[in-house]
Amino acid sequence: MRWEVIQVEPGEGIPRRFRWRRRWYPISGIQEIWQDAGEWWAGESPRWFFRVTVNGGLFELAMDPLSRQWWLYRVFD
Amino acid sequence: MVALSGFRLAMTNGVQLHVHSAFSFLDGASLPEELVQAATAKDIGTMALTDSHRLSGIVTFLKAAQASGLKAIAGATVKLPGEGQLVLLVPDTAHLPQLTRLLTHAHLDHPRGSPQVEWEMLRRWGPGLVALSGGRRGVLDRLIYAGQHAAALDRAQKLQGIFGPDFYLEVGAGWLPGDRSIRAALKSLGQHLGLSLIASSEVRHAEREDFPVYDLMVAIRHGLRVEEPHPDRPLNRELYLKDRDSMRRALGDLGPEALKTADRLAEKLTTPEILGHSRVPRLDPNPETAWQRLQQLVWEGARRRYREHWKAVRPRIGHELGIIRDLGFVDYFLVVEDVARFARQAGIRFAGRGSAADSAVAYCLGITEVDAVARELLFERFLSRERAETPDIDIDFDARRRDEVAQYVIERYGRERVAAVATYQTFRARLAIRQIGRVMGFPARELDVLAKSLPPLSLEDMVQHFDDIPELRVLGLTPASRQILAWAAKVEGRPRHIGTHLGGLVISGDPLELVTPLERSAKGVEICQFDKRDVEALGLLKLDLLSLRTFTAVDMAVRSITETTPAFRYEDIPQEDPAVYRRLQEADSIGVFQLESPAQRALARRLQPDRYEDIVASLALIRPGPIKGNMVTPFVDRRRGREPVEYLHPDLEPILHKTYGVVLFQEQVIAIASALAGFTPGEADQLRRVMTHARSPKEMERLGQQFQLKATARGIAPEVSAAVFAQMVGYASYGFNEAHAAAFADTAYRTTYLLEHYPGPYYTGLLNAQPMGFYPVDLLVTEARRRGINIAPLDINTSGAEYRWIPKRQAIQTGLQAVSGLGADNACQLLAARQEKPFQHPGDVLRRTPLHRDQVALLVRVGAFDAVDPDRERWLESLLGENPLGLVPSQPGVPWTIWQRLFWEYRILGFGQTAQALHPWRETLRNQGFITCQEALAAPPGSVVRVAGVPVRPHRPPTRSGRLMVFYTLLDETGVLDASLDEAGYRRVGHWLFSGDRPGILACSGRMERSTMTTSGMTAWPPRV
């Protein structure tokens, strides 16, 4: 789990491309979307997760819907 | 309603067929009525309730759905061992028994608390039901998620083989990881097998924001801390009741097809019609024969009860019988009579209580002991054509023998037709605090202190008024503790698990498993899945066979009395014995049934009862309602002649004369409405019920207009009818059932007689029947001593299993069962071994009985071997020290001090055999200026006193002014002193009485008023540093 803050260009409710290590990655497909409740007892808000394919690579992105903050959550090598 | 629900279905487009309520017990957060409310708000037209292995929520669900026009479907979620869950839906009323049978076997064929359904059971009872694959915890999803697609295909084929086209592949809208790939696999499975995909949200809570409550419940269920993950703990807040748009969004491209399937199935399924059908057993298949049998029994009883006057009661009995027959309760009365007859023949003490005592038929049948005719009680309070509800007949039995009666019922009516009534055990404040606190990771010991400090308020109120509650304030709660309270408040009142009703049995005309699933209670009793209210809605006959420990005490007392006075008969106790009333007037009634509390004794001092009716009135007066309604003082003043008895209208005199013009009983309201406004008795009872439950001023105003209109039409002056109605309204929220008071008064009078004339045997009975009554053993023993009764200590060679009355020594001897941690079986084994020869040594007990060393040590510590040799230290040394075999004589020990003796006696027996706990401290206390409880009672009114004692039963009852008032009792070696503490005092020192670590002895000061101390100061004794 990386939790690296990234920049994302959203499409219609789903991400279209994201910028990581000074490079934009266009998203070619979304394999899964799920929600995680987070540590609600500690005041954390729920987050949405997207498992996306990018030019042969597989990534998981996370988003806080309240702050619109995006993270790169996981990179599948 | 049918047309209405059809309309809603046509106009709405939401369907949810996999919904768990809080009756899934820790696997669902919302109550059925909350789910129905949410469904209505979200335009959902059809909803199925599919709780895990149970139908307990179905009655509430059906009623709420009917009221809101929602189409309600019955179902359940079941677990296939090692495979996952499956949702089963009932397509129509005819197929409900299949599900109840299946659920019954799921429970009864497996260990308690682990119901499950094997494939064979599904094959047997499944066909005809509708099955959904169960969502993410379902049989198929689990295999697919694990990549076992071949196994998933196999299970889908098996389920298709059982349910045919009525097996559906459930696609979830829960936004869980893996949903998309599972949906894709289910789609191809469906195409391969020709099965339909159906949309589901696998609902666990009504609204998204209810998720924390659900999550806490799941954590409690699995014993997890809040931060611990678990496969059954969903990762998100999405298992809520979704509307059509939210479903569509979550299901993606499968949405249209899966939602359409749900719509089609919803149209096909019908609501089961299970409410309101009578299922009363028939003792005789021919109704006419049963009717004749009931008449015969009643008239025989009438001749026995009323002797030569029986013809005079014919009209009344005929009237009651007519209503009983018209309402279809002939068999019900025959069943209750049958049970009462069994108890009588078996010599089991019993008495009918409650409104059944309003019935002369019940009196003639020997079910109750209250003469409804002589007391002019109104039958319609018990049963009326207008109400047409199943009457409630509650019978108290000697607690030791209540199960014999239950066993008789099972044998008489058949095991398959009888079961115990369930209770839905909800999260109470203390339990919620303990369980939520554990989830949050706090130690049990701390939670215990917090839980024991809770006042009798809802947690919600505590959260809001936290700083005004001294027992919480003194704890100095941290933000974390406040958080526990806040979260516990969210689960408080929600069902947690199923329990067994204390006395309720259902008896069904049909085999019960056709009506309700059965399961096993902790004690191994078969219980139905419904509580007493739902059982009635299902048309089942409910009998309340209650355990009353007072009857146990009475029975034991009577046995002791007849050993020396063989002619004594409890049933022949003389009425109106002046000595009985003297005892009550002196408020010396600790141990008396229902009249021993401080409030009752305080009333007795004021009322000075000298006749039976005073007892009946006392029982009705000390209730929250009459106290709040300020009825006690007017009643007492009128009764004592200090205030004139006046009636607003002459017609009220015959109704209210026995209560001196005060409206005290429910029956009186019915009679007033009949006499003044011409209501039929049944209508009048309905008015009473509405008045009792109506809370809005508008509703009351409407009732008042109705009453006055009718009264005016009968020539009553409007101002009189308005005043009478105002009097009835004043009564409305607190009226008491006279029949019930009269039934209890009989036992109250007789137990006062026993206490007055046979205190030794009666106290012996009370001690043996513990736990019961208002006071602990320590207090009862002190009271016995005050009456000159000796306490003979436990003796290994002379004590019986129970406490025993020894007339020659005027002593109660402690019984072996009083030893905490010994148990009845061990006591019996010990007695059996003693029959061979007396015990010489603790080692002797170890050798000849199954008692283990620690249990024998308990006996030594309470002096059971003192008669052999009082050197307890030496006995313990031989038992637990270096010569455990007892083969080598031990060295003589140091004799125990009285404090040592008392420490162990209180710890093991709950009282001091040697003396009461305060006794050895008396000299010290005198030197510090403390007087005894008896000296305080003898002090002139207005005296300021200082008393130290053991605090007993502190409580905060409702008061007339609504202000908070605390009552408690202090106990020392001379007896008891009742005391009160006002609201300001409670805020200052209330924590000494109510906090979780209450001191054993309190030092109190205050002013004496009417034999009660008004407390001004309080602290622990000896003072805490």
Side-chain angles (χ1 to χ4, degrees):
Chain A
M1 290 34 149
R2 309 173 77 99
W3 293 109
E4 281 182 54
V5 175
I6 54 168
Q7 193 182 347
V8 171
E9 185 184 309
E12 285 179 14
I14 52 168
R16 183 177 294 161
R17 61 178 189 150
F18 64 93
R19 184 177 167 81
W20 180 49
R21 291 184 181 171
R22 285 177 288 176
R23 193 184 137 194
W24 283 99
Y25 291 81
I27 293 168
S28 54
I30 294 184
Q31 288 195 348
E32 288 288 352
I33 305 175
W34 71 93
Q35 193 211 65
D36 187 299
E39 294 186 356
W40 59 265
W41 55 93
E44 230 176 69
S45 56
R47 285 171 185 168
W48 286 91
F49 288 78
F50 301 82
R51 184 176 297 156
V52 299
T53 47
V54 175
N55 194 22
L58 192 59
F59 297 81
E60 280 178 8
L61 313 181
M63 182 196 68
D64 180 342
L66 290 181
S67 63
R68 294 277 158 187
Q69 175 71 61
W70 284 86
W71 295 271
L72 179 69
Y73 177 64
R74 193 192 300 221
V75 179
F76 294 85
D77 293 324
Chain B
M1 189 53 73
V2 172
L4 181 64
S5 70
F7 176 74
R8 257 179 58 74
L9 183 64
M11 294 298 290
T12 57
N13 49 20
V15 171
Q16 290 291 356
L17 297 174
H18 182 177
V19 179
H20 292 258
S21 75
F23 285 98
S24 280
F25 296 143
L26 302 179
D27 205 7
S30 305
L31 299 171
E33 54 270 38
E34 291 171 340
L35 289 162
V36 170
Q37 199 181 358
T40 309
K42 293 170 192 212
D43 212 15
I44 290 167
T46 304
M47 185 163 77
L49 189 69
T50 56
D51 282 316
S52 306
H53 296 106
R54 65 181 52 256
L55 294 178
S56 299
I58 200 77
V59 174
T60 317
F61 175 57
L62 290 176
K63 284 180 178 174
Q66 193 181 31
S68 67
L70 175 85
K71 183 174 178 182
I73 306 302
T77 302
V78 298
K79 187 174 148 197
L80 276 74
E83 305 257 8
Q85 67 184 23
L86 192 70
V87 174
L88 299 173
L89 300 174
V90 178
D92 49 39
T93 311
H95 284 89
L96 185 69
Q98 272 180 245
L99 183 64
T100 57
R101 277 197 175 114
L102 183 83
L103 294 176
T104 295
H105 284 275
H107 282 280
L108 297 184
D109 298 352
H110 299 96
R112 184 177 168 269
S114 306
Q116 45 190 268
V117 170
E118 281 87 12
W119 285 99
E120 191 43 48
M121 289 165 65
L122 269 188
R123 282 188 201 98
R124 187 163 173 200
W125 289 292
L129 298 176
V130 173
L132 314 186
S133 60
R136 283 301 297 267
R137 286 192 235 165
V139 177
L140 303 184
D141 285 23
R142 283 161 61 116
L143 290 168
I144 294 167
Y145 194 60
Q148 298 175 34
H149 292 266
L153 174 64
D154 170 67
R155 301 305 188 277
Q157 283 173 322
K158 275 168 96 171
L159 289 164
Q160 190 179 26
I162 293 168
F163 297 99
D166 288 329
F167 174 55
Y168 294 85
L169 303 176
E170 194 177 335
V171 288
W175 293 109
L176 289 164
D179 266 2
R180 285 192 166 204
S181 39
I182 290 173
R183 281 207 290 266
L186 285 173
K187 185 180 177 184
S188 51
L189 202 59
Q191 284 167 346
H192 182 67
L193 296 175
L195 291 168
S196 304
L197 299 176
I198 193 163
S200 152
S201 175
E202 200 183 332
V203 177
R204 304 278 167 173
H205 40 98
E207 305 293 348
R208 186 185 261 143
E209 51 272 22
D210 297 331
F211 168 74
V213 180
Y214 174 61
D215 197 35
L216 287 168
M217 286 182 164
V218 175
I220 291 170
R221 181 157 61 97
H222 289 290
L224 303 171
R225 289 192 179 195
V226 72
E227 66 274 9
E228 283 180 276
H230 188 277
D232 278 353
R233 204 171 157 196
L235 299 167
N236 65 22
R237 310 176 177 219
E238 291 295 316
L239 299 183
Y240 71 96
L241 197 68
K242 289 191 171 75
D243 61 17
R244 173 63 63 118
D245 284 344
S246 305
M247 291 291 288
R248 201 178 284 126
R249 271 197 300 277
L251 292 170
D253 57 350
L254 290 187
E257 179 195 342
L259 288 166
K260 206 175 281 174
T261 311
D263 292 343
R264 275 200 302 271
L265 181 56
E267 272 183 48
K268 210 170 80 172
L269 302 172
T270 59
T271 303
E273 291 174 12
I274 54 173
L275 304 182
H277 300 288
S278 173
R279 300 170 206 275
V280 174
R282 298 205 173 281
L283 285 180
D284 195 303
N286 182 351
E288 197 50 40
T289 318
W291 168 235
Q292 282 165 8
R293 168 91 181 127
L294 179 66
Q295 289 184 95
Q296 185 195 343
L297 288 169
V298 169
W299 293 120
E300 279 173 12
R303 286 190 186 92
R304 194 174 55 250
R305 292 286 200 189
Y306 294 101
R307 298 174 192 274
E308 65 275 17
H309 307 296
W310 78 273
K311 283 185 182 165
V313 297
R314 265 162 98 167
R316 162 77 186 240
I317 290 175
H319 168 72
E320 290 192 17
L321 280 171
I323 294 177
I324 290 167
R325 184 174 64 168
D326 293 352
L327 294 177
F329 295 130
V330 168
D331 291 288
Y332 179 61
F333 275 84
L334 285 173
V335 169
V336 180
E337 188 277 337
D338 176 53
V339 173
R341 184 146 39 93
F342 163 77
R344 193 173 301 108
Q345 287 170 355
I348 300 171
R349 232 167 254 290
F350 74 94
R353 63 149 81 172
S355 63
D358 278 308
S359 164
V361 163
Y363 179 59
C364 292
L365 290 174
I367 296 166
T368 64
E369 288 303 314
V370 176
D371 181 351
V373 177
R375 294 199 65 84
E376 299 173 339
L377 296 174
L378 278 170
F379 179 66
E380 279 72 12
R381 168 63 190 85
F382 172 59
L383 189 61
S384 74
R385 286 194 171 88
E386 286 82 352
R387 196 161 79 227
E389 283 176 1
T390 311
D392 231 352
I393 301 183
D394 302 342
I395 307 178
D396 290 317
F397 293 92
D398 176 344
R400 289 170 311 168
R401 305 190 63 189
R402 181 263 171 198
D403 288 352
E404 282 178 52
V405 183
Q407 193 54 38
Y408 167 76
V409 173
I410 291 169
E411 283 165 18
R412 173 79 171 83
Y413 298 95
R415 187 164 290 278
E416 70 286 358
R417 287 176 162 79
V418 180
V421 175
T423 52
Y424 307 139
Q425 300 290 315
T426 55
F427 275 102
R428 301 274 171 86
R430 283 185 176 188
L431 180 67
I433 290 289
R434 288 196 168 100
Q435 300 218 311
I436 295 292
R438 234 172 90 185
V439 169
M440 291 171 69
F442 292 98
R445 206 165 50 81
E446 278 199 292
L447 294 170
D448 192 53
V449 172
L450 178 58
K452 284 182 177 165
S453 301
L454 298 181
L457 298 170
S458 74
L459 286 166
E460 192 66 53
D461 283 348
M462 282 183 233
V463 170
Q464 283 179 13
H465 305 289
F466 188 86
D467 293 321
D468 297 328
I469 302 169
E471 51 267 51
L472 294 179
R473 200 183 56 225
V474 294
L475 292 178
L477 296 187
T478 59
S481 312
R482 289 174 184 245
Q483 188 72 68
I484 296 175
L485 283 175
W487 287 346
K490 290 186 189 302
V491 302
E492 188 183 20
R494 292 182 186 268
R496 191 196 176 282
H497 59 275
I498 201 161
T500 313
H501 187 274
L502 277 178
L505 283 186
V506 280
I507 311 175
S508 172
D510 307 319
L512 267 173
E513 64 172 4
L514 300 181
V515 187
T516 165
L518 300 174
E519 56 188 278
R520 198 165 282 114
S521 73
K523 284 185 177 172
V525 176
E526 280 183 17
I527 55 175
C528 69
Q529 287 193 341
F530 299 103
D531 75 352
K532 61 178 186 176
R533 212 182 37 179
D534 289 351
V535 155
E536 192 176 317
L538 288 165
L540 290 163
L541 187 156
K542 176 178 72 78
L543 269 186
D544 257 347
L545 311 179
L546 303 161
S547 294
L548 189 67
R549 286 175 181 266
T550 297
F551 283 157
T552 308
V554 165
D555 199 64
M556 297 183 111
V558 170
R559 281 170 203 272
S560 294
I561 295 166
T562 47
E563 279 176 21
T564 49
T565 316
F568 177 84
R569 285 195 78 235
Y570 180 74
E571 292 70 23
D572 296 340
I573 280 176
Q575 291 296 304
E576 306 299 307
D577 175 15
V580 164
Y581 293 107
R582 266 199 307 278
R583 175 156 294 282
L584 293 176
Q585 287 161 11
E586 287 162 13
D588 200 357
S589 54
I590 287 178
V592 171
F593 178 66
Q594 293 282 318
L595 295 181
E596 64 175 343
S597 70
Q600 279 291 0
R601 287 185 285 113
L603 173 66
R605 282 191 197 100
R606 297 169 63 196
L607 186 65
Q608 292 292 293
D610 61 13
R611 62 198 71 169
Y612 190 75
E613 290 309 314
D614 289 338
I615 299 179
V616 180
S618 296
L619 292 170
L621 279 167
I622 300 300
R623 305 278 157 184
I627 293 169
K628 273 188 184 169
N630 192 21
M631 289 167 62
V632 180
T633 300
F635 183 90
V636 172
D637 286 347
R638 290 179 181 202
R639 169 68 183 89
R640 300 309 323 158
R642 292 190 288 264
E643 193 180 281
V645 178
E646 289 167 347
Y647 301 98
L648 291 165
H649 189 274
D651 287 357
L652 294 178
E653 185 167 357
I655 300 166
L656 299 179
H657 70 94
K658 61 180 162 188
T659 51
Y660 309 95
V662 173
V663 184
L664 185 57
F665 300 120
Q666 294 169 345
E667 287 87 340
Q668 289 174 323
V669 163
I670 300 173
I672 291 170
S674 301
L676 262 65
F679 284 73
T680 67
E683 285 171 348
D685 184 49
Q686 281 190 316
L687 174 79
R688 174 196 67 80
R689 285 158 68 91
V690 176
M691 282 175 72
T692 305
H693 297 109
R695 293 287 178 266
S696 77
K698 220 174 181 179
E699 176 77 354
M700 216 49 111
E701 196 183 320
R702 193 189 61 75
L703 285 172
Q705 283 168 355
Q706 191 190 349
F707 176 84
Q708 284 179 53
L709 215 64
K710 287 197 166 199
T712 310
R714 290 167 62 87
I716 310 285
E719 62 275 14
V720 172
S721 64
V724 171
F725 188 77
Q727 197 178 19
M728 287 160 73
V729 170
Y731 144 93
S733 67
Y734 45 73
F736 198 65
N737 180 211
E738 183 184 348
H740 183 62
F744 271 15
D746 185 63
T747 307
Y749 175 87
R750 288 174 198 274
T751 51
T752 315
Y753 184 91
L754 291 179
L755 184 69
E756 171 62 24
H757 296 286
Y758 302 97
Y762 187 56
Y763 277 119
T764 309
L766 287 175
L767 290 172
N768 279 320
Q770 292 300 309
M772 64 164 284
F774 202 80
Y775 296 111
V777 173
D778 185 20
L779 193 149
L780 292 175
V781 168
T782 306
E783 282 293 288
R785 280 197 177 110
R786 197 171 60 78
R787 298 284 303 272
I789 294 162
N790 302 306
I791 301 300
L794 190 78
D795 186 314
I796 192 71
N797 286 318
T798 61
S799 281
E802 297 170 322
Y803 289 95
R804 197 166 50 147
W805 172 240
I806 309 171
K808 276 186 188 165
R809 294 166 61 189
Q810 285 295 292
I812 299 170
Q813 184 174 38
T814 309
L816 292 160
Q817 284 180 32
V819 175
S820 166
L822 192 69
D825 285 350
N826 278 326
C828 289
Q829 301 255 24
L830 209 145
L831 291 179
R834 198 175 74 190
Q835 278 191 332
E836 294 168 26
K837 56 175 180 173
F839 295 108
Q840 301 291 328
H841 184 280
D844 202 11
V845 177
L846 266 184
R847 277 192 293 275
R848 289 162 55 194
T849 72
L851 269 68
H852 56 70
R853 200 169 293 277
D854 291 343
Q855 288 170 321
V856 180
L858 293 175
L859 292 168
V860 173
R861 287 188 168 113
V862 292
F865 291 90
D866 282 6
V868 183
D869 184 336
D871 189 344
R872 297 185 193 177
E873 202 59 44
R874 190 165 72 96
W875 288 133
L876 286 172
E877 174 70 18
S878 70
L879 194 65
L880 308 170
E882 290 176 356
N883 53 351
L885 297 178
L887 301 175
V888 184
S890 301
Q891 294 301 311
V894 181
W896 279 19
T897 64
I898 189 167
W899 285 280
Q900 270 177 301
R901 285 165 175 253
L902 287 179
F903 172 81
W904 287 109
E905 287 171 7
Y906 269 88
R907 189 163 176 167
I908 295 168
L909 301 171
F911 69 97
Q913 290 188 124
T914 310
Q916 202 275 336
L918 271 287
H919 173 74
W921 299 105
R922 183 50 58 196
E923 200 181 329
T924 311
L925 288 166
R926 282 214 184 283
N927 292 336
Q928 293 177 1
F930 291 100
I931 60 173
T932 66
C933 290
Q934 287 302 313
E935 287 164 349
L937 283 170
S943 312
V944 174
V945 295
R946 293 180 72 209
V947 183
V950 177
V952 180
R953 291 295 297 260
H955 59 291
R956 288 158 279 204
T959 57
R960 180 163 55 88
S961 62
R963 285 175 67 86
L964 194 146
M965 185 65 109
V966 174
F967 295 95
Y968 66 101
T969 299
L970 283 177
L971 169 69
D972 70 9
E973 76 277 25
T974 67
V976 297
L977 174 65
D978 294 328
S980 64
L981 180 66
D982 64 16
E983 190 163 345
Y986 164 70
R987 298 203 186 289
R988 203 162 25 86
V989 295
H991 58 281
W992 292 120
L993 287 169
F994 295 103
S995 67
D997 59 345
R998 187 170 77 195
I1001 299 174
L1002 288 180
C1004 303
S1005 57
R1007 191 177 294 276
M1008 290 304 298
E1009 287 169 25
R1010 283 187 189 159
S1011 304
T1012 299
M1013 182 178 70
T1014 305
T1015 310
S1016 53
M1018 180 185 288
T1019 189
W1021 191 91
R1024 285 185 180 173
V1025 180

